[in-house]
Amino acid sequence: MAQSKKYEILYIVRPDLEDAAKTALVERFDGILRDNGAEVVESKDWSKRRLAYEIKKYREGLYHVIKVTTDDDAPLNEFDRLAKINDDILRHMITREED
């Protein structure tokens, strides 16, 4: 069996999203990872931060970070695909952590 790899996913949610909608968004995207076979080790709000440059007319965003382990790229690919088409997610980045 392949060794599980560790990843960190950082995404920025638009700052005017209501708390309930943001909670639902986070749960949905954590679920996308789990449903596709990844283990979500940690999923937490980071903070509201000013953006280095304007994205979709927003000057700040709500940062959220997920630590995940998986031995397959499918969960990451699905997260990436859905994050790109979700208007509430301004930007996202998936990085592999060193073992």
Side-chain angles (χ1 to χ4, degrees), residues 32-33 50 82 99:
I32 288 164
L33 292 164
R50 190 162 171 79
L82 292 170
D99 294 328

Side-chain angles (χ1 to χ4, degrees), residues 72-86:
D72 182 15
D73 287 342
L76 303 172
N77 293 340
E78 187 65 1
F79 184 99
D80 184 55
R81 184 181 76 79
L82 292 170
K84 282 178 181 161
I85 59 175
N86 189 305

Side-chain angles (χ1 to χ4, degrees), residues 1-57:
M1 185 177 140
Q3 176 73 25
S4 284
K5 299 179 192 107
K6 295 177 185 164
Y7 293 90
E8 183 177 273
I9 302 170
L10 176 66
Y11 60 98
I12 307 171
V13 179
R14 64 186 178 88
D16 56 357
L17 196 63
E18 293 176 7
D19 286 347
K22 181 179 183 297
T23 300
L25 178 84
V26 167
E27 287 173 2
R28 178 169 165 243
F29 275 86
D30 285 358
I32 288 164
L33 292 164
R34 284 192 197 98
D35 293 347
N36 285 280
E39 180 190 350
V40 176
V41 178
E42 185 178 39
S43 176
K44 64 180 181 183
D45 287 337
W46 211 8
S47 65
K48 180 185 270 192
R49 293 177 181 226
R50 190 162 171 79
L51 302 173
Y53 52 90
E54 197 173 279
I55 304 173
K56 296 182 184 172
K57 302 205 182 339

